[in-house]
Amino acid sequence: MSRLDFFKTTPIHKEYIILDYLSKNAKVTQRDISSVASISLAMVNQYLDTYEKEGYLSKVYLNNKNMEYHITEKGIQRKKYLNIKYLESARDVYQDAKANIKVFLNDIMSKGFRKILLYGAGDVADIILLVINSEPEINLEVCGIIDDNPAKHGSKIFSTKIIGINDLKVHEHDAVLIASYAYYEKMYDNLIKNNYDKNKILKYFG
């Protein structure tokens, strides 16, 4: 699942995608638009006709087969408005996720955990770190991020280093928080195989 999957199902989001795309390049084909907006060619033609009637774009016929799509000033203003509404929706989703994570992290602290390792150097770890770093009342220290991909070892998310599971004993910590939805069962099994105390395994999912 990509980060934008939640915003790709409504006509209003497709409208923003198309207007934004046309504002950057007038010399595009309907097939290009179909690919970018993930809609059929028939729907592309329908959308473009609607936007032309609304005054958001104009069509310039170069010959019998080719044309250019020029976004109008009204179309530019419409795109700006849709962009603001999109950002508002994204902010609401983030605030909801942040609130859920704060509740979860407070529960961890109530159990006496203060120094943790995250397992999974992905989007979930990224957001958890962002919440911890932006909320002074979250008194948790992330000592490292475990990941099973050796190519990530040594790099960082924010200022937290990504390590391998073999480095578990090197970093002083109270628990490991599995920060993955797709692989949490595999990660849990990996920790158990490494003789890690199951009472110190925390899971955001599962």
Side-chain angles (χ1 to χ4, degrees):
M1 180 181 293
S2 76
R3 297 184 182 189
L4 298 181
D5 281 345
F6 289 106
F7 302 95
K8 286 187 175 179
T9 57
T10 63
I12 196 169
H13 185 256
K14 294 184 188 300
E15 180 183 347
Y16 170 72
I17 291 175
I18 294 171
L19 292 177
D20 182 59
Y21 190 55
L22 294 180
S23 71
K24 296 171 182 175
N25 186 3
K27 296 180 180 180
V28 298
T29 67
Q30 291 194 10
R31 192 170 296 279
D32 293 331
I33 298 171
S34 172
S35 176
V36 169
S38 300
I39 55 179
S40 68
L41 285 171
M43 288 300 296
V44 170
N45 193 56
Q46 182 177 326
Y47 277 121
L48 293 177
D49 284 346
T50 299
Y51 302 158
E52 186 179 28
K53 291 176 183 176
E54 293 289 343
Y56 299 152
L57 62 85
S58 61
K59 298 175 183 177
V60 177
Y61 290 85
L62 304 178
N63 51 51
N64 290 334
K65 294 183 178 180
N66 299 308
M67 71 174 66
E68 290 181 353
Y69 303 96
H70 294 268
I71 189 168
T72 64
E73 180 59 32
K74 185 177 181 181
I76 291 172
Q77 297 308 314
R78 175 66 175 174
K79 189 195 79 164
K80 289 180 180 178
Y81 170 76
L82 293 175
N83 182 240
I84 292 297
K85 302 307 290 184
Y86 175 84
L87 292 175
E88 286 180 354
S89 297
R91 179 200 60 197
D92 291 343
V93 171
Y94 168 72
Q95 292 296 342
D96 186 51
K98 184 177 179 180
N100 289 332
I101 290 172
K102 284 179 65 175
V103 169
F104 177 77
L105 295 178
N106 278 313
D107 183 61
I108 287 177
M109 291 189 296
S110 72
K111 295 175 181 177
F113 298 113
R114 289 295 180 269
K115 292 184 176 183
I116 63 173
L117 294 172
L118 298 181
Y119 194 166
D123 293 338
V124 178
D126 190 67
I127 295 174
I128 289 175
L129 283 170
L130 186 62
V131 173
I132 291 174
N133 292 336
S134 64
E135 299 293 331
E137 70 270 22
I138 304 296
N139 188 24
L140 280 172
E141 178 185 353
V142 180
C143 306
I145 305 169
I146 304 166
D147 199 89
D148 294 325
N149 183 357
K152 295 183 179 181
H153 298 170
S155 57
K156 296 180 178 180
I157 297 180
F158 296 112
S159 59
T160 306
K161 188 175 181 180
I162 299 174
I163 61 176
I165 197 167
N166 293 331
D167 296 321
L168 266 172
K169 296 179 181 179
V170 177
H171 297 266
E172 182 183 353
H173 64 282
D174 304 322
V176 172
L177 169 55
I178 297 177
S180 174
Y181 173 74
Y183 303 106
Y184 74 87
E185 291 181 345
K186 180 181 178 182
M187 292 174 174
Y188 181 88
D189 291 341
N190 284 345
L191 290 169
I192 297 300
K193 289 177 183 177
N194 279 269
N195 298 315
Y196 196 79
D197 186 351
K198 65 180 181 180
N199 295 314
K200 296 182 179 182
I201 300 176
L202 311 173
K203 293 182 288 184
Y204 185 69
F205 303 100

